[in-house]
Amino acid sequence: LEPRSEQYENRRKNILLLLKTYKQTVFYFSKLADTDAQSEVEVLWMHAIHNDYDESIDGVLERQRAKEHKQATAAKLLKMKNVWFRGHKIVNLPQCEITRKAIYVFEHGSTRNQTCAMIYLIYCMALHHRFELCRDLLLMSHLGSSTRIGGTHIDLQVLYNRALAQFAICAFCSGHWYSAMIILQEMFASNRLKILLGQGYIKAGLDNPTSEMIKQEQEQYARMLPYHFHIQMDALEASHLLSSLFIEIPNMISNAYNKSWIRNQYFRKIWHQYLRRDLRVPPENTKDYILSIGIHAHNGEWMSAKAMVNKLKIWHEIKHTKLVKKQVYSTLKRQCLRCYLYRYGCVYDTISIPTLSEMFELSARHCKQFIAKLIVTAGNDARFASIDELTQCVVMHQLPPMPVQRTALEYSDKLSFLIEQNEKLLGIYSRFSAWGGGKQSKGKGKGGYKDGDKDGDKKDGGKKQDGKKGNYKTGGGGGGGRFGRSGGNNSAASANKAGAQFGRRQYVQAQIRSVRPRT
């Protein structure tokens, strides 16, 4: 059915009848004391309601209610419950319908049903802006290990990827930029984001499609979820790129001529592509808007960057827009102030702190505090600036570059661009590509390692052996080649076959890195 069509909306209204059927079925199996069958129905019930929003368990509203009732704690305002999952204790779990069903499955369900229930619970808590609880559930359940998600069906891996994506949006709304960036960067680098989330499929080519390609298309289409379960792509892209921008701006400013300091490969690639455009037209999509925000922030233009932020589509797709905007503005104005001092500080002797606070809409106290933090964390550039307490001014110690230095830096940038183009022509490793390359093959005549991926898939006469990273490809015989290119033809169908499985292993590592408490 077409999304948003009249027939689709009529079918959605039948969810009440479906929930009524589930309720009667659960009552029937409870009378029979058949816990296995009842847990199966409970999981189906959780699948139907895990995407529903309930204000009573929203984490942001709960904190607001706790502030309004200063004498009462949040735990008293909303009843909490402690449960056990595979020998581990879960504390402060809000009491709601999906929680009660998850507790029953944890106690009586099979291993697969317990995993499904935990994924639905994580997704639901992330939807209700409970970042700390989702982080603890992901770490405690060990879902990211290869023995849990790695050995399950692709449908379960798709649900896990959806839970991670929703958790990343929750991290962005909570102001945890690094966690949001580290989870989403590998999802976007895979170029199969919709397939990994069960929201799209790759159509078989019209030119001589094989039976295997058609079969893979049908399997991916069958794994697609209904439209009302979809995670909005604009929200995911904005969460990823804005978080990456906030994390990478200090690296771009402090190391303007060392591009390798941008650690997010996907953001580094699209950033340099945007900078090399001969003509920058007005932005039309979320990615162009955020890259334009980066250009304005790089120039210290706070008001222009703020106007661009207001035009993003993400504000129509998330809850608590006012709170999230406040956090984004607070971080963006400080990054604009950082860029302004680094970029234009050399043309000033002193800059008045009240003037800076007025330019970037910061209070004089917060402006002074942030500048003092910049001076302390300057590192090798200890003579960056100093603060004159008597006159309330920032004394700049930077000197403008000499003409010879400016020419040398421009020459270095052009030389780096020339080397990159030559590497692309040779088909070897490029510093700005999404995937690696350039490692020599260790085998002669049979297979070899994938370009730039020492731990990649090892191909040997048409058989493949899964490594830690790399594309899922099949090799057909042939030699390794000079630059590690394996012989044989790669089948597009086999690349589509492991669509969801491709992202799962890398996302497991990203999830563990991002949600681990930082000391």
Side-chain angles (χ1 to χ4, degrees), residues 456-488:
D457 295 344
K458 194 173 182 181
K459 305 175 181 63
D460 185 7
K463 298 180 180 180
K464 73 173 184 179
Q465 184 178 1
D466 293 340
K468 297 180 181 178
K469 299 180 182 178
N471 285 333
Y472 285 72
K473 300 178 180 178
T474 54
R482 179 179 178 185
F483 299 111
R485 292 192 292 268
S486 58

Side-chain angles (χ1 to χ4, degrees), residues 203-369:
K203 295 182 179 180
L206 298 177
D207 300 335
N208 300 325
T210 62
S211 58
E212 184 180 0
M213 295 171 64
I214 297 175
K215 181 180 178 182
Q216 295 302 324
E217 177 186 349
Q218 294 173 350
E219 291 178 354
Q220 291 179 1
Y221 186 80
R223 285 195 293 266
M224 285 183 59
L225 296 172
Y227 180 77
H228 61 278
F229 282 153
H230 287 190
I231 302 174
Q232 296 298 326
M233 291 293 107
D234 288 323
L236 278 177
E237 191 170 24
S239 302
H240 175 223
L241 295 181
L242 279 176
S243 301
S244 302
L245 184 64
F246 296 153
I247 297 297
E248 300 293 355
I249 274 182
N251 298 328
M252 293 188 291
I253 289 296
S254 303
N255 307 276
Y257 290 92
N258 189 357
K259 298 181 177 64
S260 62
W261 276 89
I262 303 179
R263 290 165 292 188
N264 189 336
Q265 286 189 351
Y266 177 79
F267 181 77
R268 181 199 308 176
K269 178 183 177 182
I270 63 175
W271 175 257
H272 290 299
Q273 287 177 350
Y274 189 76
L275 291 180
R276 294 194 187 103
R277 285 186 183 179
D278 296 330
L279 178 62
R280 293 176 191 165
V281 298
E284 298 178 352
N285 51 41
T286 300
K287 181 174 72 173
D288 290 344
Y289 270 111
I290 296 177
L291 293 177
S292 300
I293 293 170
I295 294 295
H296 291 304
H298 204 269
N299 295 331
E301 301 171 354
W302 154 240
M303 297 305 297
S304 300
K306 180 180 179 181
M308 286 287 185
V309 170
N310 288 327
K311 297 178 181 179
L312 293 175
K313 296 179 181 179
I314 186 177
W315 311 126
H316 304 289
E317 299 169 356
I318 61 174
K319 304 288 184 180
H320 311 297
T321 303
K322 185 177 180 180
L323 177 63
V324 180
K325 272 188 178 182
K326 182 179 178 181
Q327 295 174 346
V328 171
Y329 288 158
S330 177
T331 304
L332 183 59
K333 64 177 65 175
R334 285 168 171 78
Q335 298 303 332
C336 289
L337 175 57
R338 180 200 300 268
C339 296
Y340 185 84
L341 293 177
Y342 269 94
R343 181 154 189 166
Y344 302 110
C346 60
V347 300
Y348 289 98
D349 291 332
T350 59
I351 308 176
S352 173
I353 292 180
T355 303
L356 289 175
S357 63
E358 183 180 354
M359 288 175 58
F360 295 97
E361 297 181 350
L362 285 167
S363 64
R365 182 173 63 88
H366 286 95
C367 185
K368 182 179 178 181
Q369 181 183 9

Side-chain angles (χ1 to χ4, degrees), residues 422-433:
N422 289 337
E423 289 174 345
K424 286 182 178 179
L425 290 175
L426 292 174
I428 59 176
Y429 176 76
S430 175
R431 286 165 291 180
F432 311 116
S433 62

Side-chain angles (χ1 to χ4, degrees), residues 13 17 37 41 78 82 166 266 289-290 338 364 393 426 434 455-456 479 500 502 508:
K13 295 178 182 178
L17 297 176
V41 180
L78 179 64
N82 300 333
Q166 188 63 45
Y266 177 79
Y289 270 111
I290 296 177
R338 180 200 300 268
C393 291
L426 292 174
D455 298 325
F502 175 83
V508 166

Side-chain angles (χ1 to χ4, degrees), residues 85-117:
F85 175 77
R86 295 174 182 174
H88 299 277
K89 189 176 182 180
I90 307 175
V91 297
N92 294 334
L93 201 62
Q95 291 191 11
C96 57
E97 186 176 12
I98 194 168
T99 302
R100 290 191 293 269
K101 299 184 182 309
I103 292 173
Y104 183 87
V105 176
F106 293 162
E107 294 176 352
H108 303 95
S110 61
T111 302
R112 185 183 186 280
N113 289 335
Q114 290 179 0
T115 304
C116 285

